[in-house]
Amino acid sequence: MIIFLDYDRKVCVTSVLARIEENEGQVRDDLSDGCYETFDPDFLKWVWDFPVKYRPEILDVLNSSKKKVIILKDRVEADNYL
């Protein structure tokens, strides 16, 4: 089974910025030791560009997959699925 979180880019960018604001300079539990949360403009651009540059190819791969594919469009759908 493949689960693809296909969230709106504004939601993703807002989430990145909120995480940075909350955790800047700290190591989050989900980061490797010594990997501090910092503002990274290249990563923010990657998140913003994702729907146009990478999403179409991912959807093509998912459409040709023989595995069950679940696409969740927002956090409500993800919470309901879980």
Side-chain angles (χ1 to χ4, degrees):
M1 177 187 300
I2 300 169
I3 299 175
F4 179 50
L5 302 177
D6 192 17
Y7 295 176
D8 180 80
R9 74 168 55 174
K10 291 175 188 172
V11 169
C12 295
V13 168
T14 301
S15 296
V16 168
L17 293 173
R19 249 190 342 264
I20 292 167
E21 183 177 343
E22 183 176 331
N23 300 295
E24 190 164 21
Q26 302 174 42
V27 177
R28 297 191 330 254
D29 291 341
D30 58 334
L31 296 175
S32 299
D33 289 341
C35 188
Y36 296 92
E37 182 76 65
T38 60
F39 178 76
D40 181 348
D42 292 333
F43 178 65
L44 197 60
K45 181 174 179 358
W46 184 87
V47 171
W48 183 260
D49 290 344
F50 182 89
V52 174
K53 284 189 173 181
Y54 307 103
R55 181 180 177 272
E57 185 177 347
I58 290 172
L59 291 175
D60 286 345
V61 170
L62 294 177
N63 286 331
S64 64
S65 174
K66 294 180 180 170
K67 297 185 183 280
K68 180 178 180 180
V69 176
I70 297 172
I71 299 176
L72 304 171
K73 302 296 272 176
D74 57 41
R75 289 190 178 121
V76 172
E77 281 188 5
D79 288 343
N80 288 339
Y81 180 79
L82 292 174

